[in-house]
PDB file of all heavy atoms in Angstrom:
ATOM      1  N   THR A  52       7.633  89.337  20.108  1.00 96.00           N
ATOM      2  CA  THR A  52       7.144  89.684  21.444  1.00 96.00           C
ATOM      3  C   THR A  52       6.235  90.883  21.381  1.00 96.00           C
ATOM      4  O   THR A  52       5.157  90.900  22.027  1.00 96.00           O
ATOM      5  CB  THR A  52       8.317  89.975  22.365  1.00 96.00           C
ATOM      6  OG1 THR A  52       9.190  88.829  22.401  1.00 96.00           O
ATOM      7  CG2 THR A  52       7.883  90.265  23.774  1.00 96.00           C
ATOM      8  N   LEU A  53       6.516  91.877  20.536  1.00 94.00           N
ATOM      9  CA  LEU A  53       5.718  93.079  20.438  1.00 94.00           C
ATOM     10  C   LEU A  53       4.369  92.639  19.824  1.00 94.00           C
ATOM     11  O   LEU A  53       3.280  93.091  20.206  1.00 94.00           O
ATOM     12  CB  LEU A  53       6.346  94.122  19.580  1.00 94.00           C
ATOM     13  CG  LEU A  53       5.586  95.412  19.314  1.00 94.00           C
ATOM     14  CD1 LEU A  53       5.302  96.125  20.637  1.00 94.00           C
ATOM     15  CD2 LEU A  53       6.280  96.283  18.362  1.00 94.00           C
ATOM     16  N   GLY A  54       4.409  91.804  18.814  1.00 94.00           N
ATOM     17  CA  GLY A  54       3.199  91.307  18.157  1.00 94.00           C
ATOM     18  C   GLY A  54       2.303  90.535  19.127  1.00 94.00           C
ATOM     19  O   GLY A  54       1.063  90.782  19.197  1.00 94.00           O
ATOM     20  N   ALA A  55       2.947  89.669  19.936  1.00 95.00           N
ATOM     21  CA  ALA A  55       2.136  88.916  20.934  1.00 95.00           C
ATOM     22  C   ALA A  55       1.537  89.862  21.970  1.00 95.00           C
ATOM     23  O   ALA A  55       0.417  89.613  22.450  1.00 95.00           O
ATOM     24  CB  ALA A  55       3.074  87.842  21.598  1.00 95.00           C
ATOM     25  N   ALA A  56       2.280  90.867  22.335  1.00 92.00           N
ATOM     26  CA  ALA A  56       1.731  91.839  23.363  1.00 92.00           C
ATOM     27  C   ALA A  56       0.605  92.575  22.819  1.00 92.00           C
ATOM     28  O   ALA A  56      -0.410  92.814  23.469  1.00 92.00           O
ATOM     29  CB  ALA A  56       2.853  92.803  23.801  1.00 92.00           C
ATOM     30  N   VAL A  57       0.634  92.984  21.559  1.00 90.00           N
ATOM     31  CA  VAL A  57      -0.481  93.684  20.903  1.00 90.00           C
ATOM     32  C   VAL A  57      -1.691  92.750  20.851  1.00 90.00           C
ATOM     33  O   VAL A  57      -2.790  93.175  21.144  1.00 90.00           O
ATOM     34  CB  VAL A  57      -0.101  94.237  19.551  1.00 90.00           C
ATOM     35  CG1 VAL A  57      -1.319  94.680  18.729  1.00 90.00           C
ATOM     36  CG2 VAL A  57       0.911  95.349  19.666  1.00 90.00           C
ATOM     37  N   ILE A  58      -1.467  91.485  20.459  1.00 92.00           N
ATOM     38  CA  ILE A  58      -2.614  90.566  20.467  1.00 92.00           C
ATOM     39  C   ILE A  58      -3.161  90.359  21.817  1.00 92.00           C
ATOM     40  O   ILE A  58      -4.389  90.230  22.019  1.00 92.00           O
ATOM     41  CB  ILE A  58      -2.105  89.211  19.800  1.00 92.00           C
ATOM     42  CG1 ILE A  58      -1.833  89.426  18.276  1.00 92.00           C
ATOM     43  CG2 ILE A  58      -3.247  88.149  19.947  1.00 92.00           C
ATOM     44  CD1 ILE A  58      -1.215  88.229  17.631  1.00 92.00           C
ATOM     45  N   THR A  59      -2.327  90.304  22.828  1.00 90.00           N
ATOM     46  CA  THR A  59      -2.744  90.098  24.224  1.00 90.00           C
ATOM     47  C   THR A  59      -3.716  91.152  24.627  1.00 90.00           C
ATOM     48  O   THR A  59      -4.789  90.862  25.247  1.00 90.00           O
ATOM     49  CB  THR A  59      -1.545  90.117  25.211  1.00 90.00           C
ATOM     50  OG1 THR A  59      -0.661  89.069  24.840  1.00 90.00           O
ATOM     51  CG2 THR A  59      -2.005  89.937  26.619  1.00 90.00           C
ATOM     52  N   VAL A  60      -3.463  92.407  24.302  1.00 86.00           N
ATOM     53  CA  VAL A  60      -4.301  93.496  24.767  1.00 86.00           C
ATOM     54  C   VAL A  60      -5.455  93.805  23.842  1.00 86.00           C
ATOM     55  O   VAL A  60      -6.366  94.582  24.129  1.00 86.00           O
ATOM     56  CB  VAL A  60      -3.534  94.743  25.047  1.00 86.00           C
ATOM     57  CG1 VAL A  60      -2.515  94.552  26.190  1.00 86.00           C
ATOM     58  CG2 VAL A  60      -2.866  95.336  23.815  1.00 86.00           C
ATOM     59  N   THR A  61      -5.454  93.208  22.603  1.00 84.00           N
ATOM     60  CA  THR A  61      -6.545  93.538  21.663  1.00 84.00           C
ATOM     61  C   THR A  61      -7.549  92.386  21.510  1.00 84.00           C
ATOM     62  O   THR A  61      -8.628  92.613  20.995  1.00 84.00           O
ATOM     63  CB  THR A  61      -5.967  93.956  20.345  1.00 84.00           C
ATOM     64  OG1 THR A  61      -5.170  92.828  19.841  1.00 84.00           O
ATOM     65  CG2 THR A  61      -5.216  95.213  20.371  1.00 84.00           C
ATOM     66  N   THR A  62      -7.237  91.174  21.983  1.00 85.00           N
ATOM     67  CA  THR A  62      -8.140  90.069  21.800  1.00 85.00           C
ATOM     68  C   THR A  62      -9.324  90.206  22.678  1.00 85.00           C
ATOM     69  O   THR A  62      -9.211  90.794  23.790  1.00 85.00           O
ATOM     70  CB  THR A  62      -7.444  88.740  21.997  1.00 85.00           C
ATOM     71  OG1 THR A  62      -8.344  87.678  21.684  1.00 85.00           O
ATOM     72  CG2 THR A  62      -7.015  88.551  23.413  1.00 85.00           C
ATOM     73  N   LYS A  63     -10.479  89.688  22.269  1.00 80.00           N
ATOM     74  CA  LYS A  63     -11.704  89.735  23.116  1.00 80.00           C
ATOM     75  C   LYS A  63     -11.959  88.435  23.836  1.00 80.00           C
ATOM     76  O   LYS A  63     -12.937  88.235  24.475  1.00 80.00           O
ATOM     77  CB  LYS A  63     -12.886  90.087  22.199  1.00 80.00           C
ATOM     78  CG  LYS A  63     -12.845  91.480  21.670  1.00 80.00           C
ATOM     79  CD  LYS A  63     -14.110  91.825  20.882  1.00 80.00           C
ATOM     80  CE  LYS A  63     -14.036  93.260  20.383  1.00 80.00           C
ATOM     81  NZ  LYS A  63     -15.195  93.617  19.644  1.00 80.00           N
TER      82      LYS A  63
END
Side-chain angles (χ1 to χ4, degrees):
T52 303
L53 179 65
V57 168
I58 293 172
T59 299
V60 298
T61 58
T62 186
K63 292 184 180 182

